[in-house]
């Protein structure tokens, strides 16, 4: 016949637990039946008590979870935190989220920020964008003041933690550029392909969207006679991360600053980090370039500047597409032509050395065994010429300033 649960549990016990000692008498069938019935009764009572306790606890948990959010209109709930919308922001796709929730989601998105529901682009900065006043009014009517205050305190504390996490050193991008682009308010468009600058782009985008741009590597701290180095604080407005990790970023210059403590981060592949020396923050004017050695005809220099700018306009896009050799060839032809037609000593001195270096690097690239080594030489050749172009353009910009010009950013 079928066995009860109690009998099954008894049958599963080890043999030594149910054996009787020698000399003991076996219980009668009546005694055994009575004992089994009592055990089954105790087991049944225990199960009923446990079931009753489970039902009681489940009901208590349900009561505890029945807060304000459970009774709200679903349109007033945030799909990220599953609570009522606090400081609601509404995207162009008409999905709404808490400011803090959207801020945290967008800062971690590798594609520059997308709607957590439909992946539509987020076209504004959640940190500063205006609230959806209609939703905010409905929330204030539907949510008790004490719950609103609790959310406000939580949001404030979380934002303070985020700000503290982003208050450390800024990642530093090092590249010589023209003075026109190295200024507050100037548009900054960059393609990052080096591992250290790919890391810079991701850190800046996932942090407070700021990085520093210096025209040369930081000077040794405390070296005698050196002034604090100037850098441009750049604010990112958009970023696109490619499958291979390369990044296309666009932003604007926010302010000229002076570098404080600077160092290369261990294990970053050479990425500089730097603090900002607030006590030595310069004005919006750029430091004056050194006067050019000698004078030249202004109209001749302007023609040189225009030709070099045209070469950069044709060569830089090729470099950004990964065609470093094509970029180097464009720059090299322009430099050779300028050496042929220009009589300005400052132009010739700057370009002759760059042309010799680029030609040597391109010969080494042709003899290189591997594609990676060849590409590295081609990029170095392109940059040798580009740095020379920027140097000449800086001299020409200085030489074309009117007498008494202070080098401000107005003109």
């Amino acid at each position: 016949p079928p066995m009860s649960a109690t009998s099954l549990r008894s049958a599963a016990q080890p043999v030594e637990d149910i054996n009787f000692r020698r000399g003991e008498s076996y219980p009668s069938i009546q005694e055994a039946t009575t004992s089994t019935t009592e055990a089954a009764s105790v087991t049944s009572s225990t199960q009923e008590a446990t079931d009753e306790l489970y039902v009681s606890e489940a009901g208590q948990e349900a009561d505890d979870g029945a807060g304000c959010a459970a009774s709200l209109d679903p349109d007033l709930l945030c799909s990220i935190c599953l609570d009522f919308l606090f400081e609601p922001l509404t995207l162009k796709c008409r999905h709404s989220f808490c400011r803090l929730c959207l801020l945290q989601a967008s800062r971690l998105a590798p594609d520059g920020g997308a709607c957590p529901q439909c992946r539509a682009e987020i076209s504004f900065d959640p940190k500063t964008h205006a609230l959806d006043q209609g939703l905010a009014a409905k929330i204030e009517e539907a949510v008790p003041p004490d719950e609103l205050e609790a959310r406000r305190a939580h949001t404030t504390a979380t934002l303070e933690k985020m700000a503290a996490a982003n208050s450390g050193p800024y990642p530093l991008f090092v590249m010589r550029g023209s003075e026109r682009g190295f200024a507050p308010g100037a548009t900054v468009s960059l393609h990052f392909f080096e591992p250290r600058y790919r890391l810079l782009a991701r850190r800046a985008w996932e942090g407070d969207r700021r990085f520093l741009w210096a025209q040369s590597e930081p000077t040794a701290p405390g070296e005698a006679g050196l002034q604090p180095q100037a850098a441009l604080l750049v604010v990112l407005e958009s970023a696109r991360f490619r499958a291979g990790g390369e990044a296309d970023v666009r932003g604007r210059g926010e302010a000229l600053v002076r570098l404080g403590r600077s160092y290369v981060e261990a294990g970053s592949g050479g990425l500089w980090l730097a603090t900002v020396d607030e006590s030595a923050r310069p004005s919006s004017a750029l430091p004056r370039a050194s006067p050019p050695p000698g004078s030249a005809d202004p109209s001749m220099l302007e023609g040189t500047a225009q030709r070099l700018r045209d070469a950069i306009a044709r060569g830089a896009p090729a470099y950004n597409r990964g065609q470093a050799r094509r970029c180097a060839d464009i720059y090299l032809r322009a430099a050779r032509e300028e050496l042929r037609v220009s009589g300005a000593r400052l132009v010739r001195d700057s370009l002759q050395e760059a042309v010799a270096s680029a030609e040597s690097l391109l010969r080494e690239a042709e003899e290189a065994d591997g594609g990676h080594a060849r590409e590295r030489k081609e990029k170095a050749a392109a940059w040798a010429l580009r740095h020379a172009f920027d140097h000449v353009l800086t001299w020409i910009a200085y030489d074309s300033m009117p007498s008494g010009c202070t080098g401000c950013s107005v003109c």
Side-chain angles (χ1 to χ4, degrees), residues 17 33 56 73 79 85 105 121 130 189 193 195 201 223 261 279 281 310 331 358 360 364 380 389-390 407:
D17 289 346
T33 303
S56 176
D73 185 331
S79 61
L85 289 163
E121 181 183 2
S189 296
F193 58 89
E223 190 171 334
R261 178 172 175 262
S279 64
R281 181 183 287 267
D310 290 343
Y331 289 170
S360 175
E364 293 176 7
F389 289 0
D390 290 337

Side-chain angles (χ1 to χ4, degrees), residues 65-90:
C68 174
S71 61
L72 281 181
D73 185 331
D75 291 338
L76 302 182
L77 298 179
C78 172
S79 61
I80 297 178
C81 66
L82 304 180
D83 206 342
F84 63 84
L85 289 163
F86 184 74
E87 296 185 355
L89 302 179
T90 300

Side-chain angles (χ1 to χ4, degrees), residues 120-205:
E121 181 183 2
I122 298 175
S123 58
F124 55 77
D125 185 353
K127 190 174 182 179
T128 59
H129 193 66
L131 299 180
D132 185 327
Q133 296 296 341
L135 278 177
K138 292 180 180 178
I139 290 293
E140 288 187 3
E141 292 178 0
V143 178
D146 58 334
E147 293 195 29
L148 284 172
E149 187 59 35
R151 281 292 296 279
R152 183 174 291 105
H154 169 72
T155 298
T156 300
T158 304
L159 288 174
E160 288 176 353
K161 289 181 180 178
M162 292 176 65
N166 293 326
S167 62
Y170 291 102
L172 179 66
F173 173 59
V174 179
M175 186 189 76
R176 186 177 180 83
S178 66
E179 289 192 3
R180 187 179 300 275
F182 191 77
T187 298
V188 177
S189 296
L190 296 167
H191 170 71
F192 290 133
F193 58 89
E194 293 185 48
R196 56 176 173 169
Y197 293 137
R198 284 153 46 181
L199 177 62
L200 176 150
R202 189 166 295 280
R203 281 193 183 177
W205 187 255

Side-chain angles (χ1 to χ4, degrees), residues 4-28:
S4 67
T6 304
S7 300
L8 286 172
R9 284 195 295 271
S10 299
Q13 292 177 353
V15 174
E16 58 268 24
D17 289 346
I18 59 174
N19 284 339
F20 293 94
R21 293 189 180 88
R22 185 182 303 275
E24 292 183 352
S25 60
Y26 287 90
S28 64

Side-chain angles (χ1 to χ4, degrees), residues 3 24 27 31 102 135-136 186 197 312 332-334 388 403:
M3 301 177 68
E24 292 183 352
E31 291 173 345
L102 190 60
L135 278 177
Y197 293 137
I312 292 172
L332 190 57
R333 284 195 298 269
S403 178

Side-chain angles (χ1 to χ4, degrees), residues 265-335:
E265 183 181 38
S268 65
L271 178 63
W272 281 90
L273 300 179
T275 60
V276 172
D277 184 358
E278 295 293 343
S279 64
R281 181 183 287 267
S283 66
S284 60
L286 288 167
R288 288 288 301 269
S290 300
S295 59
D297 182 1
S299 61
M300 182 179 65
L301 290 180
E302 182 54 38
T304 296
Q306 186 58 51
R307 288 187 291 272
L308 294 184
R309 284 194 290 264
D310 290 343
I312 292 172
R314 289 182 289 114
Y319 187 96
N320 291 337
R321 291 193 299 269
Q323 301 171 341
R325 179 57 189 258
R326 176 174 173 77
C327 174
D329 288 341
I330 292 172
Y331 289 170
L332 190 57
R333 284 195 298 269

Side-chain angles (χ1 to χ4, degrees), residues 170-171 173 181-190 192 200 204 208-214 231-238 249-257 276:
Y170 291 102
F173 173 59
F182 191 77
T187 298
V188 177
S189 296
L190 296 167
F192 290 133
L200 176 150
D208 67 350
R209 302 194 179 183
R210 284 172 171 79
F211 67 92
L212 293 169
W213 175 13
L232 182 67
L233 183 61
V234 179
V235 180
L236 289 180
E237 296 174 344
S238 65
V249 301
R250 185 178 178 85
R252 57 179 173 79
E254 182 176 56
L256 279 174
V257 297
V276 172

